[in-house]
Amino acid sequence: MSFNSFGKLLKITTFGESHGPMIGCVIDGFPAGMEITVEEIKTELLRRATGKSRHTSQRKEKDDVKIVSGVFEGVTTGMPIALLIENTDARSKDYSEIKDQFRPGHADYTYWHKFGIRDYRGGGRSSARETTMRVAAGALAKKWLKLHFNIEATAWLAQLGSVVIDKVDLKEKENNPFFCPNTTQIQELEAYMDALRKSGDSVGANIAVQAINVPVGLGEPVYGKLDADIASAMMSINATKGVEIGAGFESVSQNGSVHRDEIVDGKFQSNHAGGILGGISSGQDVLVNVAFKPTSSLRLPAKSVDKFGNNVTVVTKGRHDPCVGIRAVPIVESMLALVLMDHILRNNALCGKY
Ligand code: EPS
């Protein structure tokens, strides 16, 4: 029994730990005939990488990805595409003091109780390092979606801690360390993050993601709904705590007369549904928000237990993200792209429509 894969016709399997020799993925079911280069994948990987600003972890991984199968003379062959990245800057000794202890709020507590093994080096599979391969696979899916459907999955920072981003100008979001789509709030974010880092604490974030040019008809009732698969993909990202589709939890206080998206001359007048009705894409933009929790690896002392059941005070050293949500922007784009591509292939199988 293994659950390191997702997707039905486009199947992604990831492997590797944060401090192991390498991480990798296998992309099975990717159609033949698409040109792809290492540089194209690397461009996406760099967007997610640590160490690009003082506001993220200072671990410096080169993320030099190798394509080891499924691509011949720069073109996908229809065979499984395997990608590998060496870990070159892991510092396992940072974790030696907590090798028998559990960080409150961290997966190391549940991994130990489930598997009885404490791989204390970094977060192992629960580390943000695992998301590297999602972005590598996502680079191929994004390219395929753009080529064949002009579909674009784009994410941005919607909220960081108490700072709500109040204007969205997507042209701006790649020009700052926060993927913030409002240039007038960058200074506020810088100050917020500097104070946070100084205090030794961490904070959560809300990442918005949209997909444009999604055709009507993706998603299979009732156990293969598009929104269910998107929610599952987003929840599988380490540190996700919530997913909203369209109006999400705001739907609770909306009246039906407000929530329903009226249609005039074939055009929807609003998009509270987030582009999905009955689990099937409506042809509107797919709109999703993902909540990321504050990182639990803190230098601030916390009460916890060790694996022998003793009360301990945990202090985590090492290089950590004060807000891991910032780097989640390319990750949620990739997960949305991978789910959409899988569903396009599924729609073709079920309804004969590409
Ligand atoms: C992470 C802690 C740091 C980060 C890591 C995520 O790594 P580690 O403690 O395992 O050396 O740098 O992120 C990455 C290395 C990456 O590529 O995303 C954590 O606590 O989740």
Side-chain angles (χ1 to χ4, degrees):
M1 196 164 59
S2 158
F3 294 92
N4 290 289
S5 306
F6 71 97
K8 293 273 189 291
L9 295 191
L10 180 71
K11 205 177 192 69
I12 314 302
T13 303
T14 71
F15 58 89
E17 289 85 27
S18 181
H19 288 215
M22 60 182 76
I23 52 176
C25 72
V26 176
I27 309 163
D28 205 1
F30 199 94
M34 189 184 83
E35 290 182 4
I36 190 74
T37 63
V38 158
E39 290 70 32
E40 285 171 299
I41 303 172
K42 186 86 191 259
T43 302
E44 285 296 323
L45 290 173
L46 279 175
R47 294 177 64 227
R48 193 214 66 94
T50 48
K52 288 192 306 175
S53 82
R54 65 185 187 279
H55 306 297
T56 64
S57 161
Q58 293 305 302
R59 181 167 158 180
K60 296 256 185 341
E61 288 292 346
K62 292 201 275 304
D63 286 348
D64 279 333
V65 63
K66 283 194 184 71
I67 303 174
V68 296
S69 74
V71 176
F72 180 64
E73 295 182 338
V75 177
T76 59
T77 61
M79 302 298 116
I81 300 169
L83 306 176
L84 289 176
I85 295 177
E86 276 182 53
N87 289 324
T88 54
D89 189 33
R91 262 190 354 213
S92 301
K93 69 170 169 22
D94 288 346
Y95 289 87
S96 49
E97 281 169 38
I98 62 159
K99 77 180 177 44
D100 296 325
Q101 303 177 343
F102 305 117
R103 288 162 278 185
H106 198 280
D108 51 20
Y109 181 86
T110 45
Y111 273 50
W112 160 257
H113 281 86
K114 184 175 177 69
F115 298 106
I117 303 284
R118 176 96 173 89
D119 179 354
Y120 61 88
R121 312 159 307 156
R125 285 288 282 168
S126 68
S127 168
R129 187 83 191 123
E130 186 273 339
T131 62
T132 317
M133 298 322 298
R134 299 167 186 248
V135 172
L140 280 93
K142 278 175 151 188
K143 180 166 183 185
W144 190 89
L145 290 171
K146 176 79 182 150
L147 274 176
H148 295 286
F149 291 89
N150 206 23
I151 293 174
E152 284 177 51
T154 307
W156 61 92
L157 180 77
Q159 182 172 350
L160 186 154
S162 59
V163 184
V164 178
I165 305 307
D166 52 28
K167 198 180 103 194
V168 177
D169 178 357
L170 291 182
K171 286 191 310 302
E172 295 299 338
K173 72 174 184 100
E174 300 292 320
N175 302 329
N176 63 79
F178 306 104
F179 297 100
C180 174
N182 182 7
T183 45
T184 63
Q185 287 179 286
I186 308 295
Q187 267 189 341
E188 186 185 357
L189 289 171
E190 300 269 8
Y192 188 96
M193 287 300 294
D194 286 342
L196 182 76
R197 218 174 41 254
K198 227 169 157 183
S199 74
D201 221 333
S202 63
V203 80
N206 175 3
I207 303 302
V209 59
Q210 69 174 24
I212 60 168
N213 301 323
V214 178
V216 64
L218 306 184
E220 289 105 40
V222 290
Y223 297 112
K225 290 182 175 180
L226 182 61
D227 41 7
D229 283 355
I230 291 171
S232 171
M234 298 304 173
M235 283 304 297
S236 77
I237 303 170
N238 298 326
T240 300
K241 278 294 175 192
V243 181
E244 290 187 303
I245 311 283
F249 278 85
E250 214 183 304
S251 314
V252 174
S253 57
Q254 284 177 333
N255 287 122
S257 54
V258 173
H259 180 83
R260 64 186 174 179
D261 301 312
E262 290 188 275
I263 308 167
V264 177
D265 295 333
K267 280 206 175 78
F268 288 100
Q269 302 297 297
S270 53
N271 191 2
H272 296 114
I276 302 172
L277 294 167
I280 300 173
S281 60
S282 65
Q284 285 201 279
D285 296 345
V286 170
L287 306 177
V288 183
N289 282 81
V290 188
F292 287 88
K293 69 171 185 173
T295 328
S296 45
S297 300
L298 303 176
R299 66 170 198 265
L300 301 177
K303 294 189 191 73
S304 186
V305 288
D306 64 16
K307 63 185 197 185
F308 312 107
N310 303 310
N311 288 328
V312 293
T313 300
V314 184
V315 174
T316 311
K317 299 194 177 140
R319 303 161 294 178
H320 301 285
D321 290 273
C323 177
V324 80
I326 297 171
R327 292 196 297 118
V329 164
I331 307 167
V332 300
E333 286 176 0
S334 294
M335 293 308 278
L336 186 55
L338 289 162
V339 172
L340 289 173
M341 184 170 167
D342 184 36
H343 270 276
I344 287 173
L345 300 175
R346 285 157 61 165
N347 196 40
N348 188 37
L350 190 66
C351 301
K353 292 185 204 163
Y354 223 36

